[in-house]
């Protein structure tokens, strides 16, 4: 290792344990005497639970207990919560139904847990769970959001009449009305955003134990935000007060949003560990993950764009119905509202926007934030509209976008957001150049000679990361603050530990965060360690989601570093009898400018702890904490260009070239940022081409394993060409914007725009399965022939 | 997985003995289909009898005008066999496309055909190459062996010992994989046999498992070229349909895969 | 219950286990080697890939009893004498992992792939095709492919230098 500061492609410090098999994930943990949990789950999408007979299961070998919802409610365990209050346009609060971790009365989606078995081995627990007899009375089910709103649809929660959770709006309806009245051209589309299953490769897991003597619980779990988990488990689920509950998220195998939430199973393990008097472990299998991990997306929208005679956008009108599934998950209400409609202005100067969003209960798995959360839905809608409008008015897609770009900052959109900085021409130009856009016609002709249909598509995305500031989101209904914390501890020997409230589950924080310290003090990154993921070790923090760890988490570290640096300089100045302002830090040393006087960082740290000779009144030690609450969102943006070849005989799409030009502001470690983009792109391409959670009309999930849910494989995707352009974010000390979700946000419309360009037909919904593309192309050909 | 008893048979006689002693026994090849089924608790045999260590079931050899492949030969061994690559390249290529590399290291010819999954690849090769299946009790033509979806002519205690594939003049296989499972949504094996006759067998697409596309066979007999089959549709009536593909689409895929298989024979 | 014996990462081991015990459970739960992972129920993700008698197999789709008498190598057994295997090193050098969950299977599959094709004989298309049985949700495969190619080429160079 070496001194590797901001901008270095530092190799990851955490890799060694993963490539040698020494990672420690929740399922790798073993506690003495632990039992294993298996859940009894509803096979029905909607049914009344009339009785549960556990007698046969209880008699089976190794079985400790069969616990049900009645016992859970009897023990005072609270309902699951939704952490963001949304009001309908008539001012009424959202209509939220109750959600219990084990349901005693009415199950509302296939896979909902009604009981749990604890036994000596996982196989015994599974055997016994299969032997629990549940008497169900089936009720009619509804899975489609539009059908759920129709009169006479099955009623899912008594609290939400007609299954409507809220009917929310944003923007100026009258202004939009006027824009459409005066439009020279209107582009209209129906747009569907398909339901996805997040599928981190590590399934969820929990290992809970209860210490009788201390009345203290410990939970190892697959969480993106252990402190939030502890808060919710304590304050809302009433499992234990916070100081009696330690939550540890060790190595976590991916999250993508799905490991933000505090699910029934994790909480039941905690509760059961006290009930049965032994540690309890549960590991989800993949089918359970499909049935119970929060799904993503699932929007149906009508969208209209109004243009004036110069092809400038004058108005955007959107009506969206969002399917939230059977229960309101933790952030479910914020995703289709403040994380979605506020981004509908895209990179464009649109004077009037109005969006109406209805959210709906259905008998499906709950839907919540999944990589991008609301922003992919907004981007897909807008960028398909943009491409379609360009084709309709006969402008090139790039020229039409250019004509409408925002060019002066700050820019206030009609939908809350105030863009602070950006250069959309720069990323568009960079992308077109890297994609050799000008050479496309020749490539298309060459492909045609091989019988292939070649198409090219653009997408110019913007996203908002690091949701903030806390006071602002609080006024919009958020139940928590969205700041982050950090503590920087310099040890007496000059090594550094950074405690962060962010959580790393693949993002490489142990490396990038260390680079900040390396940069600041000129220390070797090996002299720095990052501590995260344990509520006993780390001060309160908000965790990792919404591409916030850089812009928010690292800003908190920078604030703490500022304090450490100031104190270190004071000590050094005192020791070297120099003015504080003359002290410079360079290469691990504190020097007096213009002299050869210097002290090593270690000497200063040691002096802080021996405290033999500190400035008057200074406290010993060199350790500082900070809480950072951003002043605004950050706004990463960029242009993606996708080039495809479609096989007209099978409808199969091959992505032959994909360029991403992103503006993430300041980049700490380009290697890690590129990795984030690659991963995001493939999730977006997966959404565009392959992935879809599909239910039959009875609410059975037809895609409940990798046999039917198409995960992107290595041979489904190309290698990518990435380029970046940097405009600094003025809102945080490093100028960072966030990079974790961009790929998933920007890529789906680029892919679909390319396919529709190739086949000459626009009526394509995601995922663009080969059959759909084949059928569409055939009918387009038939029409053309007629 | 429910509890079961595992036995390893050293000979065909021992295998027969073990299975007759079992309440509800099943033979085990590489286990790449049976074990996932048992893990999902969709099968619960009381006993499983591992056949893969029986010497007669191993190996690939030339015998007269045929290549005989032992039932316990793995897909990897078939795919990488120099003999097969030379004599029946379509068969080697087919085996090299089953599942993924790790599955091919375990999965066996006998296990695959005894299961007769409608989306499995091998049945098409057996039918198109007019192979003969030798069991512990008798010999059967491929067409007599495959009875219907997940159904074969095997008795409960009958073991596939080997399959004899007549060396063809030309052979090739082309499949369109299901995007999720990667099983065949339509797989077509085309062969011009030693006597000049033509056979075309289709897997993955039909409701009753593998079937012969006789109209394509007739067309190819006169004119061995992709164009000969390009206009021939097998029809959607007996095609499978599911979330991945309608019957119409599968019917189209059969035609396209047939064309590509013929083209691949050069 | 049956007694299962095998050589695991060079060490003879034996245990009495239920016949339904999968090889992956034997490795993880009986032997405590948790570097091998389970990511699916349908034999598709490849997080569980180990080598049995020198060949990559999915340890979630094999009974421990089937591996009785075999030589089994897991990710923990790949490095020799403290030196990383070139494939392990290449995954780090090329940022071929993020959360690390798919990594054990990816590395074991990559080593097997290079063994079968011969070092230096892998191109991008072949690598992508060969990875059909390994799913990664984090990396988008870009850097995994790069890492395998780099390892393959580097191993070819090493073999040449040794000649
Ligand atoms: S766990 Fe073995 S293939 Fe997924
Ligand atoms: S690195 Fe996370 S699944 Fe591959």
């Amino acid at each position: 290792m070496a001194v590797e500061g901001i901008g270095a492609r530092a190799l990851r410090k955490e890799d060694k344990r993963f490539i040698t098999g020494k990672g420690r994930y929740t399922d790798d943990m073993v506690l003495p005497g632990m039992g294993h949990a298996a859940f009894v789950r509803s096979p029905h999408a909607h049914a009344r639970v009339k009785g549960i007979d556990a007698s046969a299961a209880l008699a089976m070998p190794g079985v400790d207990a069969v616990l049900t919802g009645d016992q859970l409610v009897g023990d005072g365990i609270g309902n699951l919560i939704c952490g963001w209050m949304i009001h309908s346009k008539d001012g009424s609060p959202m209509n939220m139904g109750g959600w219990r971790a084990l349901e005693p009365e009415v199950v509302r989606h296939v896979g909902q847990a009604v009981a749990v078995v604890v036994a000596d081995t996982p196989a015994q627990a599974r055997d016994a769970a299969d032997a629990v007899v549940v008497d169900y009375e089936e009720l009619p089910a509804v899975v489609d959001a539009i059908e759920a709103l129709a009169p006479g649809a099955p009623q899912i929660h008594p609290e939400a009449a007609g299954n409507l959770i809220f009917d929310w709006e944003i923007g100026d309806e009258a202004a939009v009305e006027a824009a459409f009245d005066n439009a020279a051209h209107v582009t209209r589309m129906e747009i569907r955003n398909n339901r996805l299953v997040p599928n981190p490769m590590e399934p969820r897991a929990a290992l809970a134990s209860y210490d009788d003597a201390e009345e203290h619980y410990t939970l190892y779990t697959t969480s993106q935000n252990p402190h939030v988990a502890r808060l919710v488990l304590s304050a809302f689920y009433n499992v234990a007060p916070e100081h009696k509950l330690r939550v540890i998220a060790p190595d976590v195998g991916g999250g993508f949003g799905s490991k933000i939430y505090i699910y029934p199973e994790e909480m039941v393990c905690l509760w059961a560990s006290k009930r049965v008097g032994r540690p309890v472990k549960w590991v989800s299998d993949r089918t359970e993950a499909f049935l119970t991990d929060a799904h993503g997306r699932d929007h149906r929208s009508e969208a209209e764009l109004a243009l004036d005679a110069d092809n400038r956008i004058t108005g955007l009108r959107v009506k969206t119905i969002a399917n939230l599934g059977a229960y309101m998950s933790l952030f479910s209400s914020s995703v289709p509202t403040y994380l979605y409609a506020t981004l509908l202005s895209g990179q464009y100067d649109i004077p009037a926007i109005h969006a109406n969003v209805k959210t709906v209960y259905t008998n499906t798995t709950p839907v919540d934030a999944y990589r991008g959360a609301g922003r992919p839905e907004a981007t897909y809608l807008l960028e398909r509209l943009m491409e379609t409008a360009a084709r309709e008015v006969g402008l090139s897609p790039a020229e039409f976008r250019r004509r409408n770009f925002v060019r002066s900052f700050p820019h206030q959109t009609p939908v809350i957001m105030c863009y602070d900085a950006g250069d959309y021409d720069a990323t568009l130009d960079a992308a077109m150049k890297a994609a050799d856009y000008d050479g496309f016609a020749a490539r298309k002709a060459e492909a045609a000679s091989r019988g292939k249909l070649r198409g090219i598509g653009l997408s110019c995305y913007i996203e908002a990361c690091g949701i903030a500031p806390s006071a602002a989101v609080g006024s919009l209904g958020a139940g928590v603050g969205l700041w982050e914390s950090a503590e920087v501890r310099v040890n007496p020997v000059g090594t550094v530990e950074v405690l962060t409230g962010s959580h790393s589950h693949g993002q490489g924080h142990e490396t990038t965060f260390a680079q900040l310290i390396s940069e600041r003090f000129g220390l070797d990154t090996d002299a720095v360690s990052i501590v995260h993921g344990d509520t006993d070790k780390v001060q309160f923090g908000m965790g990792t989601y919404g591409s916030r760890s850089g812009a928010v988490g690292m800003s908190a570290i920078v604030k703490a570093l500022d304090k450490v640096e100031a104190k270190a300089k004071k000590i050094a100045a005192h020791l070297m009898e120099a003015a504080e302002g003359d002290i410079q830090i360079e290469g691990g040393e504190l020097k007096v400018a213009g002299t050869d006087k210097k002290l090593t960082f270690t000497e200063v740290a040691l002096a802080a702890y021996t405290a033999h000779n500190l400035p008057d009144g200074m406290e010993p030690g060199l350790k500082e904490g900070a809480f950072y609450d951003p002043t605004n969102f950050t706004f990463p943006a960029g242009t993606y260009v996708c080039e495809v070849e479609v096989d007209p005989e099978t409808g199969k799409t091959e992505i032959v070239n994909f360029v991403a030009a992103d503006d993430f502001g300041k980049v700490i470690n380009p290697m890690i940022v590129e990795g984030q983009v690659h991963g995001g792109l493939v999730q977006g391409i997966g959404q565009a081409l392959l992935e879809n959670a599909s239910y039959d009309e009875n609410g059975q999930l037809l895609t409940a394993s990798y046999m039917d849910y198409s995960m992107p494989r290595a041979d489904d995707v190309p290698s990518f060409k990435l380029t970046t352009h940097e405009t600094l974010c003025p809102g945080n000390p490093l100028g960072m914007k966030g990079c974790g979700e961009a790929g998933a946000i920007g890529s789906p419309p680029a892919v679909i725009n390319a396919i529709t360009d190739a086949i000459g037909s626009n009526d394509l919904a995601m995922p663009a399965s080969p059959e759909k593309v084949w059928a569409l192309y055939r009918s387009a050909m038939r029409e053309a022939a007629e | 997985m429910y509890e079961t008893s595992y036995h390893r048979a050293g000979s065909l006689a021992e295998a027969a003995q073990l299975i007759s002693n079992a309440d509800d026994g099943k033979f085990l090849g590489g286990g790449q289909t049976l074990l996932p089924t048992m893990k999902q608790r969709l099968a619960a045999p009381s006993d499983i009898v591992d056949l893969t260590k029986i010497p007669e079931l191993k190996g690939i050899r030339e015998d007269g005008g045929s290549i005989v492949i032992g039932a316990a030969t793995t897909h990897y061994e078939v795919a990488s066999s120099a003999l097969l690559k030379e004599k029946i390249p379509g068969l080697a290529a087919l085996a090299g496309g089953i599942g993924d590399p790790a599955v091919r290291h375990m999965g066996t010819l006998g296990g695959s055909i005894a299961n007769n999954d409608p989306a499995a690849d091998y049945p098409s090769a057996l039918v198109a190459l007019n192979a003969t299946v030798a069991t512990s009790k008798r010999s059967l033509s491929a067409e007599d062996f495959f009875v219907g979806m997940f159904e074969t002519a095997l008795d409960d205690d009958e073991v596939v010992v080997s399959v004899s594939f007549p060396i063809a003049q030309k052979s090739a296989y082309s499949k369109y994989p299901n995007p999720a499972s990667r099983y065949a949504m339509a797989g077509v094996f085309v062969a011009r046999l030693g006597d000049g006759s033509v056979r075309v067998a289709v897997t993955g697409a039909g409701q009753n498992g593998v079937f012969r596309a006789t109209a394509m066979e007739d067309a190819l007999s006169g004119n061995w070229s992709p164009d000969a089959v390009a206009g021939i549709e097998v029809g959607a009536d007996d095609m499978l349909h599911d979330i991945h593909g309608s019957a119409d689409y599968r019917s189209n895929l059969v035609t396209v895969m047939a064309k590509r298989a013929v083209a691949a024979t050069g | 219950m049956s007694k299962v014996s095998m050589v695991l990462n060079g060490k003879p081991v034996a245990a009495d286990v239920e016949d339904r015990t999968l090889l992956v459970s034997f490795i993880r739960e009986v032997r405590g080697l948790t570097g091998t992972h389970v990511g699916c129920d349908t034999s598709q993700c490849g997080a569980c890939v180990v080598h049995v008698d020198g060949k990559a197999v999915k340890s979630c789709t094999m009974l421990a009893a089937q591996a009785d008498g075999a030589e089994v190598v897991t990710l923990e057994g790949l490095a020799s004498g403290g030196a990383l295997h070139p494939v392990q090193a290449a995954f780090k050098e090329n940022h071929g992992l993020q959360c690390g969950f798919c990594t054990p299977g990816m590395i074991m599959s990559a080593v097997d792939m290079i063994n079968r094709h011969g070092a230096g004989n892998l191109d991008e298309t072949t690598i992508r095709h060969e990875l059909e049985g390994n799913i990664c949700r984090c990396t988008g495969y870009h850097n995994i492919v790069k890492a395998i190619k780099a390892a393959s080429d580097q191993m070819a160079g090493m073999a040449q230098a040794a000649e």
Side-chain angles (χ1 to χ4, degrees), chain A residues 201 706, chain B residues 39 100, chain C residues 24 37-49 57-61 133:
Chain A
M201 291 318 296
Y706 295 148
Chain B
K39 279 165 66 181
D100 58 58
Chain C
V24 68
H37 296 156
V38 174
C40 75
D41 329 324
T42 50
S43 311
Q44 282 158 311
C45 75
C48 62
V49 169
V57 303
K58 293 186 161 168
S59 62
C60 73
T61 314

Side-chain angles (χ1 to χ4, degrees), chain A residues 12 25 199-202 252-256 505-506, chain C residues 96-103 106 135-141 144:
Chain A
R12 298 204 319 170
Y25 301 86
N199 273 302
M201 291 318 296
E202 180 205 24
V252 173
F256 316 115
H505 31 280
Chain C
L97 62 148
Q98 290 182 23
C99 79
F101 198 79
C102 72
T103 311
M106 286 287 177
I135 301 177
C136 173
R137 192 56 150 171
C138 297
T139 63
Y141 303 103
I144 289 177

Side-chain angles (χ1 to χ4, degrees), chain A residues 46-65:
Chain A
H46 198 192
R48 195 172 302 287
V49 180
K50 293 169 63 184
I52 298 177
D53 179 0
S55 50
L58 282 166
M60 292 174 71
V63 174
D64 279 326

Side-chain angles (χ1 to χ4, degrees), chain A residues 37 39 67 72 101-102 113 115-116 208 233 239 263-273 280:
Chain A
F39 285 84
L67 304 173
L72 183 105
L102 295 173
V116 64
L233 287 162
V239 176
Y263 289 91
E265 291 84 0
E266 288 84 331
M267 189 253 273
V268 166
C269 286
L270 270 176
W271 168 67
S273 70
V280 174

Side-chain angles (χ1 to χ4, degrees), chain A residues 669-697:
Chain A
N669 185 327
M671 177 192 83
I672 286 177
V673 167
E674 286 161 15
Q676 289 293 309
V677 176
H678 296 150
L681 288 176
V682 169
Q683 286 182 0
I685 291 170
Q687 164 160 40
L689 293 180
L690 296 162
E691 298 179 41
N692 192 42
S694 165
Y695 284 91
D696 72 8
E697 69 279 5

Side-chain angles (χ1 to χ4, degrees), chain A residues 17 25 28 60 65 68 89 110 151 171 178 250 254 309 390 396 469 542 545 617 702:
Chain A
R17 65 178 186 271
Y25 301 86
D28 301 341
M60 292 174 71
T68 65
K89 57 189 182 191
V110 171
S396 85
M542 298 309 297
Y545 44 84
L702 299 173

Side-chain angles (χ1 to χ4, degrees), chain A residues 120-143:
Chain A
D120 290 341
T121 70
Q124 286 171 338
R126 187 73 263 154
D127 288 346
D130 283 358
V132 173
V133 182
V134 184
D135 183 10
Y136 293 104
E137 176 194 330
E138 268 194 80
L139 300 169
V142 61
V143 299

